[in-house]
Amino acid sequence: MRPDVVIVGAGPAGLRAAAELAGGLDVLVLEREAQAGGIPRHSDHTGYGLRDLRRVMTGPRYARRLLERAEAAGASVLTGATATGWAGERGLEVTAPTGRFTVRARAVVLATGARERPRPARLIPGDRPSGVFTTGQLQQIVHNGLPGVGRRAVVVGAEAVSWSAALTLRHAGCRTVLMTTEYPRPDAYLLFHAPGRLALRTRVATRTRLVRIAGRGRVEGVELEDLATGVRRTVACDTVVLTGDWIPDHELARAAGLPIDPASRSPLVDTALRTPRPGVFAAGNLVHPVDTADVAALDGAAVARHVRAYLDGKRPAGDPVPLRAEAPFRWVSPHLVRPGDPAPARGRLLLWAEEHVAGPTVVVRQDGRTLAERRLWWPAAPGRVFRVPSDVLDGVDPAGGPVTVGLRR
């Protein structure tokens, strides 16, 4: 198969990119799942589509709308198709229900998204009973009407996705008796956790760590530790949902030998979402794990513009300058800046904070000098992406050393 563009991943970023590129180009989308749409297709609650579609809808409806737009534009979406490896610079080996084949394209977009770490990766001690899920596993079970969800749940994490898990649990007839976070305050925006605590009658325990899961056969309870006092207590429950703690689905990027950011574990990209391999781009939650579905979709729209520019012969000018996060930030996206390149998607740098800072002043430095200081009225907080106007990079010296983004203390 020789399309102009092959997109790996039919979530919001991949489908939006396909819809934008299919006009005048042959576009193939590969999706390893049986259905296209990504995580939203299992999220049977509202809250999707505001930033990109200018309306609010349920996750499944949002996923269907993105798929309909991509197919109406002329993109081919092949489900059950897994890209298992590379066949040259812009070629992919694919395994599908119909057999194995090779795709050779003029450009490749990696939009494989991110996933939550399961229990083994989090090294949580205790018994190994059933009833322990990530949000994605929980939503697939409930969406498909499968058994396994109990009546009393503890949700580990207090991010926006944690409240999504609580809504899914309610839909399954399971009450969230407690939500826990190691941070001093809930990670999610007030818009999420204030109504959630009232409507779902859910308590949020801050500065609390899960230290053990107990149960023979089925979860019977969890042991929690107060990080301020060291006191431990047991909460009875039959379901545990592990939320947050995201990692990009970067296996295909690693297989290509693309450089990986050690903090976010995403493939390195510049502001045009180019990877260091010519003609290979990356977008969505693969490069900023994790943001909302509509922001990932807008990433797809942005990468489509840059793919078209590449196919029209535009190439980057000069060597990139590395962009690095400084404490209290864990990572920054994009990772590289070049002279003359466009601004990143939505004109924003995306950062992940490890602590809550109200009214932060962002400081950008290069080679020992301060390039910009910007006071922002929104907080930097764990559990959600912190957005910084990208014009703070306007003074970057293309011949200089790495640029750091941090906060004034």
Side-chain angles (χ1 to χ4, degrees), residues 56-81:
V56 179
M57 59 188 70
T58 65
R61 185 182 174 197
Y62 177 70
R64 287 194 301 270
R65 182 66 58 87
L66 292 179
L67 176 60
E68 289 166 359
R69 287 189 168 199
E71 292 181 331
S76 299
V77 181
L78 183 61
T79 57

Side-chain angles (χ1 to χ4, degrees), residues 4-7 12-25 27 29 70 73 75 106-111 270-274 279-284 295-314 342-346:
D4 293 311
V5 183
V6 60
I7 300 170
L15 290 175
R16 179 64 187 269
E20 299 291 332
L21 285 165
L25 294 172
V27 177
V29 184
R106 296 167 60 201
V108 178
V109 177
L110 302 178
D270 58 21
T271 59
L273 298 171
R274 311 180 192 98
V280 178
F281 299 76
V295 168
L298 292 173
D299 244 28
V303 78
R305 295 192 295 271
H306 305 316
V307 170
R308 284 189 178 275
Y310 171 80
L311 295 178
D312 289 340
K314 182 176 176 58
R346 303 179 68 226

Side-chain angles (χ1 to χ4, degrees), residues 8-376:
V8 185
L15 290 175
R16 179 64 187 269
E20 299 291 332
L21 285 165
L25 294 172
D26 181 8
V27 177
L28 172 66
V29 184
L30 302 175
E31 171 54 53
R32 66 186 177 188
E33 300 286 344
Q35 292 182 320
I39 291 174
R41 73 188 192 278
H42 293 138
S43 300
D44 291 314
H45 58 78
T46 192
Y48 289 87
L50 181 60
R51 290 184 180 93
D52 57 335
L53 300 183
R54 297 291 187 266
R55 64 188 68 183
V56 179
M57 59 188 70
T58 65
R61 185 182 174 197
Y62 177 70
R64 287 194 301 270
R65 182 66 58 87
L66 292 179
L67 176 60
E68 289 166 359
R69 287 189 168 199
E71 292 181 331
S76 299
V77 181
L78 183 61
T79 57
T82 303
T84 55
W86 293 81
E89 289 290 292
R90 290 174 296 279
L92 294 171
E93 298 291 346
V94 181
T95 299
T98 54
R100 297 179 61 189
F101 57 92
T102 301
V103 177
R104 302 189 186 278
R106 296 167 60 201
V108 178
V109 177
L110 302 178
T112 46
R115 64 182 183 273
E116 293 164 306
R117 291 180 191 271
R119 178 182 177 174
R122 303 187 194 214
L123 304 177
I124 299 171
D127 301 322
R128 294 291 184 268
S130 63
V132 181
F133 311 99
T134 62
T135 309
Q137 292 167 341
L138 170 73
Q139 290 178 334
Q140 288 194 47
I141 288 171
V142 175
H143 180 77
N144 292 316
L146 301 175
V149 181
R151 293 293 177 225
R152 287 173 54 87
V154 169
V155 173
V156 180
E159 304 178 19
V161 70
S162 310
W163 291 105
S164 177
L167 287 170
T168 301
L169 288 165
R170 183 178 69 170
H171 182 75
C174 180
R175 183 186 167 207
T176 302
V177 296
L178 188 69
M179 191 174 285
T180 75
T181 176
E182 297 185 15
Y183 295 109
R185 60 182 71 192
D187 314 349
Y189 293 104
L190 184 66
L191 178 65
F192 288 99
H193 73 78
R197 293 171 78 163
L198 292 173
L200 301 178
R201 296 180 296 129
T202 297
R203 293 185 300 115
V204 180
T206 57
R207 296 285 293 158
T208 303
R209 181 169 64 99
L210 174 64
V211 294
R212 189 170 71 93
I213 296 175
R216 299 292 181 182
R218 178 78 194 191
V219 171
E220 297 172 5
V222 295
E223 187 176 357
L224 304 174
E225 180 181 77
D226 187 312
L227 295 177
T229 65
V231 173
R232 295 188 176 187
R233 63 186 173 116
T234 299
V235 178
C237 63
D238 56 14
T239 302
V240 178
V241 185
L242 306 173
T243 68
D245 197 4
W246 299 93
I247 184 171
D249 272 319
H250 56 199
E251 287 79 6
L252 196 58
R254 282 187 176 278
L258 298 178
I260 301 293
D261 175 55
S264 65
R265 303 192 179 185
S266 301
L268 298 186
V269 294
D270 58 21
T271 59
L273 298 171
R274 311 180 192 98
T275 71
R277 178 179 286 195
V280 178
F281 299 76
N285 283 327
L286 173 62
V287 293
H288 44 79
V290 65
D291 212 333
T292 60
D294 50 5
V295 168
L298 292 173
D299 244 28
V303 78
R305 295 192 295 271
H306 305 316
V307 170
R308 284 189 178 275
Y310 171 80
L311 295 178
D312 289 340
K314 182 176 176 58
R315 297 294 182 268
D319 294 327
V321 177
L323 191 59
R324 296 174 180 167
E326 196 173 68
F329 298 118
R330 184 194 306 174
W331 54 255
V332 61
S333 181
H335 316 92
L336 308 167
V337 291
R338 282 190 176 91
D341 266 3
R346 303 179 68 226
R348 295 289 186 268
L349 300 179
L350 307 180
L351 298 106
W352 193 264
E354 296 285 4
E355 63 184 75
H356 190 282
V357 181
T361 298
V362 176
V363 182
V364 180
R365 296 185 178 91
Q366 184 184 31
D367 297 331
R369 61 191 182 91
T370 298
L371 304 182
E373 284 195 20
R374 182 75 57 85
R375 177 71 181 269
L376 301 176

